[in-house]
Amino acid sequence: MKRIKLVVAYDGTDYCGWQIQPSGVTIEEVLNRELSRLLGEEICVIGASRTDSGVHSLGNVAVFDSRTRIPPEKICYALNQRLPEDIVVQSSCEAAPDFHPRRCYSEKTYEYRILNRRLPLPTLRRYTYFYYRRLDEAKMNQAASYLMGKHDFKSFCSVKTSVEDTVREILSCTVRRRSEDMVVIRVTGTGFLYNMVRIIAGTLIQVGIGELEPQDIKEILEKRERSAAGPTAPALGLTMMGIVYGEGGCLYESDDVWDCGRNHKGILS
Amino acid sequence: MKRIKLVVAYDGTDYCGWQIQPSGVTIEEVLNRELSRLLGEEICVIGASRTDSGVHSLGNVAVFDSRTRIPPEKICYALNQRLPEDIVVQSSCEAAPDFHPRRCYSEKTYEYRILNRRLPLPTLRRYTYFYYRRLDEAKMNQAASYLMGKHDFKSFCSVKTSVEDTVREILSCTVRRRSEDMVVIRVTGTGFLYNMVRIIAGTLIQVGIGELEPQDIKEILEKRERSAAGPTAPALGLTMMGIVYGEGGCLYESDDVWDCGRNHKGILS
């Protein structure tokens, strides 16, 4: 029995998120079905980031156990032959038998992309949130700095969850105008609450239009109440960029393929 | 009667190109229908670039005459309310009565985007041509330089057209690796033949994998025969970036919104 680790990229537009649901097709379901057919045994993957309906990924991680004799590195090629074109496994490798994509220490990076211009662009409509009012990205970035570190993020957690410990650590949170029209919020952390990145994005947008001041973030954190933060920004702007594990699995790095240019590293380079 | 000029962006994935066809929906058809409904008169637009099925646009130009009393600059907003989300008019303005989007002198820019990496990326699949084999972009760029200037481009013209004068002028043709995984061919010219940019892209890819040498381009041009050049690259990699008119209409500039970063100018900035 081997533990196999996959790096999974997908266009989330036509899926009801990662996790299997009674209504609607999910990424997890498609992976389980096609892996089971390919390997001739029942496969149940464990995902690292259980992304919401409509959220995209360049580097989510899934793990499963198998008796297959296909070399682990080849599984991704065989699997991609069977997957629909909106899911592409970027790599497969053998992981340690006790490697767990959610329980092992990891640093996850998400990006929230906002198309901030006068009119939408059809070719970006599936992967960015279109926002008309001009955003002050410097103020947003200042606000973002108050989110860094270990905090109780209860104000940034959907009330639809029953999780008790709402303390999480954000290692980095920056906002920059990547081009004239594109404002990108990039967050790296060791764990996130339900809807946390989308609520952070919705709140930073409020700062960007002057409805909140950067230092208001401190007060919002202190309130420990969902209603203190801004709205949950739409799913389509969010992309799971990648996950770095310190140990317990093959170390890899998933970098920003959206970010054309400067110091670019490919996902698999 | 006023002549109105539109700058039209679209995701060409679900259209049979610009020009009205017996089978399948086209951009021209949708614009005519929605403009006629909006303005209450029969509208027939004239397009600048009659893009193929599956080709995208950030700045194609269309012109029509109307008796409307809606201020020209407001037409785009009213029209966008009616258009599907994969067509967005970026601006509308009054043009000179004799302005014609194809007959007036113009400089058109196209980009052909190639995702050049080991595996496809789902979120780029609609707007890039995925090509597995590593491309040598320096050689491609050298080859591209032989295309610049005034030449008989008969070898780079689809045999499906009956056009007689196949001399065209390319003002600029460059190839660069915009990021680790993305090779972009950018061509500006005063006029193009049927499938010309896609045949240029297919031929430059042959150079990129070493099947042709850069200097072979000279010979291909001299042959004046379609079979001398490389294959026609798939439509989905091609985007009409924008058109600059020297006179005869409101001058505008459409720049590269794909090109996140460096010296970026928004289409409407």
Side-chain angles (χ1 to χ4, degrees):
Chain A
M1 200 67 130
K2 278 178 197 160
R3 180 149 287 198
I4 309 289
K5 176 169 160 180
L6 307 176
V7 176
V8 191
Y10 45 88
D11 175 342
T13 309
D14 298 329
Y15 292 93
C16 291
W18 176 273
Q19 208 166 8
I20 289 175
Q21 301 248 329
S23 62
V25 182
T26 66
I27 310 289
E28 186 180 22
E29 179 187 336
V30 173
L31 287 174
N32 284 350
R33 186 186 66 215
E34 297 307 330
L35 278 167
S36 299
R37 285 181 187 165
L38 172 69
L39 305 174
E41 48 186 329
E42 201 184 323
I43 301 291
C44 291
V45 300
I46 305 168
S49 174
R50 287 167 290 186
T51 53
D52 288 345
S53 179
V55 173
H56 314 291
S57 164
L58 293 174
N60 205 348
V61 165
V63 150
F64 64 93
D65 294 321
S66 168
R67 293 178 208 286
T68 183
R69 278 188 285 179
I70 303 176
E73 290 70 26
K74 306 278 184 196
I75 289 174
C76 61
Y77 296 100
L79 183 56
N80 284 333
Q81 298 292 324
R82 298 167 166 269
L83 290 172
E85 61 172 11
D86 51 7
I87 305 178
V88 180
V89 176
Q90 299 293 309
S91 69
S92 51
C93 65
E94 188 169 354
D98 62 345
F99 172 71
H100 188 289
R102 288 198 298 279
R103 289 189 206 131
C104 292
Y105 176 87
S106 72
E107 300 180 359
K108 293 193 181 82
T109 298
Y110 290 91
E111 275 193 5
Y112 197 89
R113 309 200 317 146
I114 304 161
L115 183 66
N116 186 39
R117 66 199 298 276
R118 209 165 58 101
L119 285 160
L121 282 174
T123 48
L124 294 175
R125 73 188 191 285
R126 294 160 68 101
Y127 312 111
T128 57
Y129 172 42
F130 170 69
Y131 196 79
Y132 173 92
R133 289 177 66 181
R134 180 77 183 183
L135 296 170
D136 181 335
E137 68 276 9
K139 276 197 169 178
M140 291 169 77
N141 193 46
Q142 201 192 327
S145 70
Y146 293 111
L147 294 166
M148 287 197 253
K150 211 171 207 170
H151 300 284
D152 186 337
F153 283 98
K154 192 162 187 200
S155 300
F156 294 89
C157 179
S158 167
V159 291
K160 281 180 248 162
T161 176
S162 57
V163 66
E164 289 191 0
D165 178 12
T166 47
V167 174
R168 292 293 182 277
E169 188 180 12
I170 289 187
L171 300 168
S172 155
C173 185
T174 58
V175 182
R176 62 190 180 99
R177 191 170 284 272
R178 190 169 286 168
S179 67
E180 178 68 23
D181 296 331
M182 188 75 77
V183 173
V184 179
I185 302 168
R186 191 174 167 102
V187 195
T188 301
T190 56
F192 292 90
L193 299 163
Y194 186 46
N195 279 353
M196 183 166 150
V197 182
R198 290 169 56 192
I199 299 169
I200 287 175
T203 308
L204 292 179
I205 288 170
Q206 303 272 68
V207 174
I209 56 172
E211 302 236 327
L212 289 172
E213 288 304 313
Q215 54 272 26
D216 292 341
I217 299 294
K218 285 198 278 190
E219 207 178 303
I220 293 170
L221 282 166
E222 279 160 17
K223 278 199 178 149
R224 305 185 63 254
E225 207 176 86
R226 172 67 188 91
S227 60
T232 306
L236 86 178
L238 186 62
T239 301
M240 190 319 108
M241 299 301 292
I243 310 173
V244 177
Y245 289 94
E247 47 192 325
C250 42
L251 190 75
Y252 68 94
E253 203 175 321
S254 162
D255 210 329
D256 179 2
V257 301
W258 298 111
D259 185 13
C260 312
R262 293 162 299 191
N263 302 323
H264 177 89
K265 285 181 198 170
I267 280 188
L268 299 165
S269 65
Chain B
M1 200 69 128
K2 278 178 196 159
R3 181 149 286 199
I4 309 288
K5 176 170 162 180
L6 307 176
V7 176
V8 190
Y10 46 88
D11 175 342
T13 309
D14 297 329
Y15 292 92
C16 292
W18 176 273
Q19 209 167 8
I20 288 175
Q21 301 249 329
S23 62
V25 182
T26 65
I27 309 289
E28 186 181 21
E29 179 186 336
V30 174
L31 287 175
N32 285 350
R33 185 185 67 214
E34 297 307 330
L35 277 167
S36 300
R37 285 182 188 164
L38 173 68
L39 305 174
E41 48 187 329
E42 201 184 324
I43 302 291
C44 291
V45 299
I46 304 167
S49 175
R50 287 165 292 185
T51 55
D52 288 344
S53 179
V55 173
H56 314 291
S57 164
L58 292 175
N60 205 348
V61 166
V63 150
F64 63 93
D65 293 321
S66 168
R67 292 178 208 284
T68 182
R69 277 189 285 180
I70 303 176
E73 290 70 25
K74 306 278 185 197
I75 290 173
C76 61
Y77 296 100
L79 182 56
N80 285 333
Q81 298 291 324
R82 299 169 164 268
L83 290 172
E85 61 172 11
D86 50 8
I87 305 178
V88 180
V89 176
Q90 298 294 309
S91 68
S92 50
C93 65
E94 188 170 354
D98 62 345
F99 172 71
H100 187 288
R102 287 198 299 278
R103 287 186 209 136
C104 292
Y105 177 87
S106 72
E107 300 180 1
K108 294 193 181 82
T109 298
Y110 290 90
E111 275 192 6
Y112 196 90
R113 310 199 320 146
I114 305 161
L115 183 66
N116 186 39
R117 65 199 297 277
R118 211 165 55 100
L119 285 160
L121 283 175
T123 48
L124 294 174
R125 74 187 190 285
R126 293 160 69 102
Y127 312 111
T128 58
Y129 173 43
F130 170 68
Y131 195 80
Y132 172 90
R133 289 177 66 182
R134 181 75 184 186
L135 296 171
D136 182 335
E137 68 277 9
K139 277 196 168 177
M140 292 169 75
N141 193 46
Q142 203 193 324
S145 70
Y146 293 111
L147 294 166
M148 288 196 254
K150 211 171 207 169
H151 300 284
D152 186 336
F153 283 98
K154 191 161 188 202
S155 300
F156 294 89
C157 178
S158 168
V159 291
K160 280 180 250 163
T161 176
S162 57
V163 67
E164 290 192 3
D165 177 12
T166 48
V167 174
R168 293 293 182 276
E169 188 180 12
I170 290 188
L171 301 167
S172 154
C173 185
T174 58
V175 182
R176 63 192 179 97
R177 192 170 282 271
R178 190 170 286 167
S179 67
E180 178 68 22
D181 297 330
M182 189 75 78
V183 173
V184 180
I185 302 168
R186 192 174 165 102
V187 195
T188 301
T190 56
F192 293 90
L193 299 164
Y194 186 45
N195 278 353
M196 182 166 150
V197 182
R198 290 169 57 192
I199 300 169
I200 288 175
T203 308
L204 293 178
I205 288 171
Q206 303 273 70
V207 174
I209 57 172
E211 303 235 329
L212 289 173
E213 288 304 312
Q215 54 274 26
D216 292 341
I217 298 294
K218 284 197 279 190
E219 208 177 304
I220 293 170
L221 281 167
E222 279 160 19
K223 280 200 177 147
R224 304 185 65 254
E225 205 176 89
R226 171 67 189 90
S227 61
T232 307
L236 86 180
L238 186 61
T239 301
M240 193 313 109
M241 299 302 290
I243 310 172
V244 178
Y245 289 94
E247 46 192 326
C250 43
L251 190 75
Y252 68 93
E253 202 175 321
S254 160
D255 209 329
D256 179 3
V257 302
W258 298 112
D259 186 14
C260 311
R262 293 161 299 192
N263 302 324
H264 177 89
K265 284 183 200 170
I267 281 187
L268 299 166
S269 67

